[in-house]
Short mmCIF file of all heavy atoms in Angstrom, two decimals:
data_model
loop_
_atom_site.label_atom_id
_atom_site.label_comp_id
_atom_site.label_asym_id
_atom_site.label_seq_id
_atom_site.Cartn_x
_atom_site.Cartn_y
_atom_site.Cartn_z
N ASN L 25 120.45 16.82 122.50
CA ASN L 25 119.93 16.07 123.63
C ASN L 25 119.00 16.91 124.49
O ASN L 25 118.00 16.41 125.01
CB ASN L 25 121.09 15.54 124.47
CG ASN L 25 121.92 14.50 123.75
OD1 ASN L 25 121.49 13.95 122.74
ND2 ASN L 25 123.13 14.26 124.24
N ALA L 26 119.32 18.18 124.64
CA ALA L 26 118.48 19.05 125.47
C ALA L 26 117.09 19.21 124.91
O ALA L 26 116.10 19.30 125.64
CB ALA L 26 119.16 20.41 125.63
N LYS L 27 116.99 19.22 123.59
CA LYS L 27 115.69 19.35 122.92
C LYS L 27 115.08 17.98 122.58
O LYS L 27 113.96 17.92 122.06
CB LYS L 27 115.81 20.20 121.65
CG LYS L 27 116.22 21.63 121.94
CD LYS L 27 116.28 22.46 120.66
CE LYS L 27 116.63 23.90 120.97
NZ LYS L 27 116.72 24.73 119.73
N ASN L 28 115.83 16.93 122.83
CA ASN L 28 115.38 15.56 122.52
C ASN L 28 114.93 15.47 121.06
O ASN L 28 113.85 14.94 120.73
CB ASN L 28 114.25 15.13 123.45
CG ASN L 28 114.21 13.61 123.62
OD1 ASN L 28 115.25 12.94 123.59
ND2 ASN L 28 113.03 13.08 123.79
N THR L 29 115.77 16.02 120.18
CA THR L 29 115.42 16.16 118.77
C THR L 29 116.59 15.72 117.91
O THR L 29 117.76 15.97 118.26
CB THR L 29 115.05 17.61 118.45
OG1 THR L 29 113.88 17.96 119.20
CG2 THR L 29 114.74 17.80 116.95
N VAL L 30 116.27 15.07 116.81
CA VAL L 30 117.27 14.66 115.81
C VAL L 30 117.03 15.49 114.56
O VAL L 30 115.87 15.77 114.19
CB VAL L 30 117.12 13.16 115.50
CG1 VAL L 30 118.10 12.74 114.41
CG2 VAL L 30 117.36 12.33 116.75
N TYR L 31 118.13 15.88 113.93
CA TYR L 31 118.05 16.74 112.73
C TYR L 31 118.65 16.05 111.54
O TYR L 31 119.52 15.17 111.66
CB TYR L 31 118.80 18.06 112.98
CG TYR L 31 118.26 18.84 114.15
CD1 TYR L 31 118.90 18.80 115.38
CD2 TYR L 31 117.12 19.62 114.03
CE1 TYR L 31 118.42 19.52 116.46
CE2 TYR L 31 116.63 20.35 115.10
CZ TYR L 31 117.29 20.28 116.32
OH TYR L 31 116.80 21.00 117.39
N LEU L 32 118.21 16.49 110.37
CA LEU L 32 118.86 16.10 109.12
C LEU L 32 119.05 17.36 108.31
O LEU L 32 118.07 17.94 107.79
CB LEU L 32 118.01 15.08 108.34
CG LEU L 32 118.66 14.53 107.09
CD1 LEU L 32 119.87 13.65 107.46
CD2 LEU L 32 117.68 13.73 106.25
N GLN L 33 120.28 17.83 108.26
CA GLN L 33 120.63 18.99 107.45
C GLN L 33 120.93 18.51 106.04
O GLN L 33 121.81 17.68 105.83
CB GLN L 33 121.85 19.70 108.02
CG GLN L 33 122.30 20.89 107.20
CD GLN L 33 121.30 22.04 107.23
OE1 GLN L 33 120.81 22.42 108.29
NE2 GLN L 33 120.97 22.55 106.06
N MET L 34 120.18 19.03 105.07
CA MET L 34 120.30 18.60 103.69
C MET L 34 120.74 19.77 102.83
O MET L 34 120.08 20.84 102.84
CB MET L 34 118.97 18.05 103.18
CG MET L 34 118.37 16.97 104.07
SD MET L 34 116.89 16.21 103.38
CE MET L 34 115.79 17.61 103.39
N SER L 35 121.83 19.60 102.12
CA SER L 35 122.37 20.64 101.27
C SER L 35 122.56 20.10 99.86
O SER L 35 122.53 18.89 99.65
CB SER L 35 123.70 21.16 101.82
OG SER L 35 123.56 21.62 103.14
N SER L 36 122.76 21.02 98.91
CA SER L 36 122.95 20.63 97.52
C SER L 36 121.89 19.66 97.07
O SER L 36 122.19 18.61 96.46
CB SER L 36 124.36 20.04 97.32
OG SER L 36 125.35 20.96 97.71
N LEU L 37 120.66 19.96 97.38
CA LEU L 37 119.57 19.04 97.10
C LEU L 37 119.37 18.83 95.61
O LEU L 37 119.58 19.74 94.78
CB LEU L 37 118.28 19.56 97.73
CG LEU L 37 118.19 19.34 99.24
CD1 LEU L 37 117.15 20.25 99.88
CD2 LEU L 37 117.88 17.87 99.53
N LYS L 38 118.98 17.61 95.28
CA LYS L 38 118.76 17.19 93.90
C LYS L 38 117.30 16.73 93.75
O LYS L 38 116.68 16.29 94.74
CB LYS L 38 119.69 16.03 93.56
CG LYS L 38 121.15 16.31 93.77
CD LYS L 38 122.00 15.06 93.51
CE LYS L 38 123.47 15.32 93.76
NZ LYS L 38 124.30 14.12 93.50
N PRO L 39 116.78 16.76 92.55
CA PRO L 39 115.40 16.28 92.34
C PRO L 39 115.20 14.83 92.84
O PRO L 39 114.12 14.50 93.34
CB PRO L 39 115.21 16.39 90.82
CG PRO L 39 116.11 17.53 90.44
CD PRO L 39 117.31 17.40 91.32
N GLU L 40 116.24 14.03 92.75
CA GLU L 40 116.10 12.64 93.20
C GLU L 40 116.06 12.51 94.72
O GLU L 40 115.84 11.42 95.24
CB GLU L 40 117.24 11.77 92.64
CG GLU L 40 118.63 12.31 92.83
CD GLU L 40 119.14 13.08 91.62
OE1 GLU L 40 118.37 13.89 91.03
OE2 GLU L 40 120.33 12.89 91.28
N ASP L 41 116.23 13.62 95.44
CA ASP L 41 116.06 13.60 96.89
C ASP L 41 114.59 13.76 97.29
O ASP L 41 114.26 13.68 98.48
CB ASP L 41 116.87 14.72 97.55
CG ASP L 41 118.37 14.54 97.41
OD1 ASP L 41 118.84 13.40 97.56
OD2 ASP L 41 119.06 15.54 97.13
N THR L 42 113.74 13.97 96.31
CA THR L 42 112.32 14.14 96.58
C THR L 42 111.73 12.89 97.22
O THR L 42 112.02 11.77 96.80
CB THR L 42 111.56 14.45 95.27
OG1 THR L 42 112.00 15.76 94.82
CG2 THR L 42 110.06 14.47 95.49
N GLY L 43 110.87 13.11 98.23
CA GLY L 43 110.23 11.99 98.89
C GLY L 43 109.69 12.38 100.26
O GLY L 43 109.86 13.54 100.68
N VAL L 44 109.08 11.43 100.91
CA VAL L 44 108.66 11.62 102.28
C VAL L 44 109.79 11.12 103.20
O VAL L 44 110.25 9.99 103.06
CB VAL L 44 107.36 10.85 102.59
CG1 VAL L 44 106.97 10.99 104.06
CG2 VAL L 44 106.23 11.34 101.70
N TYR L 45 110.20 11.99 104.10
CA TYR L 45 111.30 11.66 105.01
C TYR L 45 110.71 11.28 106.35
O TYR L 45 109.90 12.03 106.91
CB TYR L 45 112.25 12.83 105.12
CG TYR L 45 113.15 12.96 103.92
CD1 TYR L 45 112.65 13.35 102.69
CD2 TYR L 45 114.50 12.64 104.00
CE1 TYR L 45 113.47 13.42 101.57
CE2 TYR L 45 115.33 12.74 102.89
CZ TYR L 45 114.80 13.12 101.69
OH TYR L 45 115.62 13.20 100.58
N LEU L 46 111.14 10.12 106.84
CA LEU L 46 110.56 9.57 108.06
C LEU L 46 111.65 9.31 109.10
O LEU L 46 112.75 8.84 108.77
CB LEU L 46 109.84 8.25 107.77
CG LEU L 46 108.73 8.32 106.71
CD1 LEU L 46 109.13 7.53 105.49
CD2 LEU L 46 107.44 7.81 107.27
N CYS L 47 111.30 9.57 110.32
CA CYS L 47 112.18 9.33 111.47
C CYS L 47 111.81 7.96 112.06
O CYS L 47 110.61 7.62 112.15
CB CYS L 47 111.95 10.44 112.49
SG CYS L 47 113.07 10.44 113.90
N TYR L 48 112.83 7.21 112.46
CA TYR L 48 112.60 5.84 112.95
C TYR L 48 113.50 5.56 114.14
O TYR L 48 114.65 5.99 114.20
CB TYR L 48 112.92 4.84 111.84
CG TYR L 48 113.04 3.42 112.34
CD1 TYR L 48 111.91 2.62 112.51
CD2 TYR L 48 114.29 2.85 112.63
CE1 TYR L 48 112.02 1.31 112.96
CE2 TYR L 48 114.40 1.56 113.08
CZ TYR L 48 113.27 0.79 113.24
OH TYR L 48 113.37 -0.50 113.70
N ALA L 49 112.93 4.80 115.09
CA ALA L 49 113.72 4.27 116.18
C ALA L 49 113.13 2.91 116.59
O ALA L 49 111.92 2.70 116.50
CB ALA L 49 113.69 5.22 117.39
N ARG L 50 114.00 2.02 117.00
CA ARG L 50 113.53 0.74 117.53
C ARG L 50 113.62 0.85 119.04
O ARG L 50 114.72 1.06 119.59
CB ARG L 50 114.35 -0.41 117.01
CG ARG L 50 113.78 -1.77 117.39
CD ARG L 50 114.34 -2.88 116.54
NE ARG L 50 113.83 -4.18 116.91
CZ ARG L 50 112.67 -4.69 116.51
NH1 ARG L 50 111.89 -4.01 115.71
NH2 ARG L 50 112.29 -5.90 116.89
N VAL L 51 112.48 0.72 119.69
CA VAL L 51 112.41 0.94 121.13
C VAL L 51 111.82 -0.30 121.80
O VAL L 51 110.68 -0.67 121.50
CB VAL L 51 111.53 2.19 121.45
CG1 VAL L 51 111.47 2.42 122.95
CG2 VAL L 51 112.04 3.41 120.72
N LEU L 52 112.62 -0.90 122.68
CA LEU L 52 112.18 -2.07 123.42
C LEU L 52 111.60 -3.14 122.49
O LEU L 52 110.57 -3.75 122.78
CB LEU L 52 111.14 -1.68 124.47
CG LEU L 52 111.64 -0.70 125.55
CD1 LEU L 52 110.51 -0.32 126.49
CD2 LEU L 52 112.81 -1.31 126.32
N GLY L 53 112.26 -3.33 121.35
CA GLY L 53 111.85 -4.36 120.42
C GLY L 53 110.72 -3.96 119.46
O GLY L 53 110.28 -4.78 118.66
#
């Protein structure tokens, strides 16, 4: 909250995890 940041810690990665990772929020509709 202090950094106003969301994280995604990813471990034991697999080739099928390959892709573009996008952050999303619905704000005021």
Side-chain angles (χ1 to χ4, degrees):
N25 294 344
K27 295 182 178 179
N28 208 32
T29 298
V30 177
Y31 301 100
L32 185 68
Q33 178 68 48
M34 308 186 295
S35 303
S36 302
L37 283 161
K38 304 175 181 180
E40 51 264 43
D41 294 319
T42 293
V44 177
Y45 283 70
L46 303 113
C47 187
Y48 166 84
R50 188 162 178 84
V51 181
L52 298 177

